[in-house]
Amino acid sequence: MYVGTLSFDLLLGDVRSLKEKRSVVRPIVAELHRKYAVSVAEVGDQDLYRRALIGVAAVSGDTGHLTDILDRCERLVAARPEVELLSVRRRFHGDHDD
């Protein structure tokens, strides 16, 4: 079993309040979950209205499949015009990890 995680550090465009931030972040989180059946949530920077930290996790028995899913998630977020992708952190955890 392998677990892959991504964390996206995003700079939001023309956002002036936490309410506007939710209207940008929520659709991204929902689309990632719906399209790729991954676990996804806003995991940081909740009090900053122009920044968002989104975490994604997926489980698979095959590292190739897991890599493909995470690549697709990264492309989806990078293609969103309303956000700027500042950084992506990717990690893999397997049975060999203690």
Side-chain angles (χ1 to χ4, degrees):
M1 174 180 72
Y2 300 95
V3 178
T5 61
L6 288 173
S7 59
F8 299 109
D9 185 6
L10 304 175
L11 178 64
L12 308 180
D14 189 27
V15 172
R16 293 186 182 90
S17 69
L18 292 176
K19 186 175 181 177
E20 287 181 13
K21 176 184 179 177
R22 280 194 308 276
S23 71
V24 172
V25 172
R26 248 192 209 153
I28 295 170
V29 168
E31 187 174 6
L32 285 167
H33 179 70
R34 181 180 47 80
K35 274 187 145 177
Y36 304 115
V38 293
S39 294
V40 57
E42 184 179 2
V43 295
D45 294 335
Q46 284 96 345
D47 57 338
L48 302 175
Y49 64 89
R50 291 214 54 227
R51 295 289 292 270
L53 186 62
I54 296 176
V56 174
V59 177
S60 179
D62 176 39
T63 58
H65 181 253
L66 192 55
T67 300
D68 183 51
I69 291 171
L70 297 180
D71 287 345
R72 289 172 190 241
C73 290
E74 187 173 341
R75 283 193 298 270
L76 184 143
V77 173
R80 299 295 292 239
E82 68 273 20
V83 300
E84 180 182 341
L85 185 56
L86 298 177
S87 69
V88 179
R89 185 171 184 181
R90 183 182 294 223
R91 288 188 170 180
F92 289 97
H93 311 275
D95 291 332
H96 59 280
D97 296 340
D98 287 335

